[in-house]
Amino acid sequence: MERTIGTVVRGVRAPIIREGDDLAQIVTESVLNCIAAENITIGHKDVIGITESILARAQGNYASVSDIAEDVKAKFPGGHVGVIFPILSRNRFAICLRGIAQGCKKITLMLSYPSDEVGNHLFDVDMLDEKGVDPYADVLSEEKYRELFGYVKHPFTGMDYVAYYKELILSCGCECEIIFANKAAAILDYTKDVLCCDIHTRARTKRLLKKNGAETVYGLDDILTAPVNGRGYNDFCGLLGSNKATEDTIKLFPVNCQEFVERVQKLILDRTGKTVEVMIYGDGAFKDPVGKIWELADPVVSPGYTSGLCGTPNELKLKYLADNEFANLSGDELKAAISEKIKGKDGDLKGQMASEGTTPRRLTDLIGSLCDLTSGSGDKGTPIIYIQGYFDNYTK
């Protein structure tokens, strides 16, 4: 019988992972148990996704607020630091800010407006037009901000992040002032020592600050890049990708991801004779059209993946073929013509009209988003994702 199903995605349940667990073995056993229980036939190019969270947990990649404070104090001995462009997040940034504040004497906190980098809004963008504010040029004090926009709470969290971040900094015994601006160099009127907290624009921000006379410039990706007091670190992205673990500790992005995915791939090959692809995934890369939040608060979607997941899709647009080249065909004749076209397609379709409208994104970003949406971020208990048929096409 002809196959009637294309890509299939399964969330695989796993035990609660603790530090020191052999996660590669646990992933292998969990997937093989799923295959046996569901009577699935494993195939070459099946994909196994593992959430970054359980790898970091197994590695014990945790650090404390005091570790952050110690590293910040060493990098900014002057004590007055401009902390610029943080995202608005209790889980992602607030605990980092606590450590930063404990390592400083004074913080000038510069928030982008009307939203942060990943789309969390301080207020509705239309208020800029109502108030005659130019977000590209105007630098606002906290007093001016309140006069113009009042006390707006985030629609999802109910938080007034301006007040929340200010209270958090002050509670650490650190002096605080808050300004609002979207030009990185605006902070240099307040201090020449700057900690850039943006994620995907951090390289440009650092470059502009140095060009305009900053004396000391670091990013969150430069904090905890090596162990402090023997605890967790990430040499690739520092504090970026971290999450709150407890009130005093953070879980960092995992390390040695490439070594891990290749080990899982080998374990599956040894047990089944099949070469699967394996990736670590964090946030998916997609945007909420209602809340306007861009999900990707991690520095990358996937910090480690096997070689078969390199590159972008190389696909033909079936709708284009049906409406153009084969517009005069229908039924089995149309199906046969399209199947032959797919079988004979070029190895690189970039720039060809027949591929126009296919998704021009990296495979790891697409599959990582699929994994993230499947596993969720709550209590589903499926931190392992098993995908079949992703690389199939109409002819398979």
Side-chain angles (χ1 to χ4, degrees), residues 170-246:
L170 293 174
S171 72
C172 296
C174 179
E175 187 181 345
C176 175
E177 66 178 329
I178 299 179
I179 62 172
F180 301 81
N182 292 310
K183 291 177 64 175
I187 193 65
L188 300 179
D189 290 336
Y190 300 82
T191 176
K192 303 296 185 184
D193 297 337
V194 186
L195 178 61
C196 308
C197 300
D198 43 347
I199 306 163
H200 308 292
T201 56
R202 63 187 185 275
R204 180 173 185 266
T205 299
K206 291 177 186 179
R207 175 174 58 80
L208 291 173
L209 286 168
K210 292 172 183 176
K211 179 182 177 181
N212 284 276
E215 293 176 0
T216 305
V217 178
Y218 290 103
L220 287 182
D221 57 325
D222 300 309
I223 307 299
L224 293 191
T225 55
V228 173
N229 300 316
R231 285 187 279 268
Y233 72 99
N234 191 297
D235 54 350
F236 159 61
C237 59
L239 286 179
L240 292 180
S242 63
N243 286 270
K244 179 179 179 179
T246 71

Side-chain angles (χ1 to χ4, degrees), residues 18-20 54-63 231-233 251:
R18 295 295 190 189
E19 181 177 353
I54 60 170
L55 179 54
R57 287 172 65 87
Q59 293 173 341
N61 202 19
Y62 293 82
R231 285 187 279 268
Y233 72 99
K251 177 193 64 60

Side-chain angles (χ1 to χ4, degrees), residues 84-101:
I84 72 171
F85 300 154
I87 64 171
L88 307 176
S89 171
R90 293 168 296 174
N91 173 49
R92 290 281 191 171
F93 184 69
I95 192 162
C96 294
L97 181 58
R98 182 175 288 112
I100 295 165

Side-chain angles (χ1 to χ4, degrees), residues 333-387:
E333 192 176 8
L334 174 60
K335 179 179 178 181
I338 288 180
S339 295
E340 286 303 311
K341 187 74 173 180
I342 293 172
K343 289 176 183 177
K345 68 184 177 181
D346 293 341
D348 185 1
L349 295 168
K350 188 183 297 184
Q352 296 188 30
M353 285 298 295
S355 68
E356 185 176 347
T358 57
T359 308
R361 293 169 59 193
R362 295 189 305 179
L363 288 167
T364 50
D365 294 343
L366 291 165
I367 299 172
S369 296
L370 178 62
C371 290
D372 188 30
L373 287 168
T374 303
S375 62
S377 58
D379 57 7
K380 293 183 184 298
T382 55
I384 303 166
I385 305 299
Y386 181 50
I387 303 171

Side-chain angles (χ1 to χ4, degrees), residues 243-286:
N243 286 270
K244 179 179 179 179
T246 71
E247 292 302 318
D248 297 306
T249 59
I250 58 168
K251 177 193 64 60
L252 295 153
F253 223 40
V255 295
N256 302 324
C257 296
Q258 197 61 37
E259 175 185 321
F260 174 82
V261 296
E262 289 174 4
R263 182 172 176 230
V264 173
Q265 185 182 56
K266 185 177 186 305
L267 287 171
I268 295 290
L269 177 62
D270 291 344
R271 295 283 293 275
T272 68
K274 303 292 185 181
T275 300
V276 299
E277 304 299 340
V278 185
M279 68 180 291
I280 304 299
Y281 68 92
D283 278 345
F286 47 83

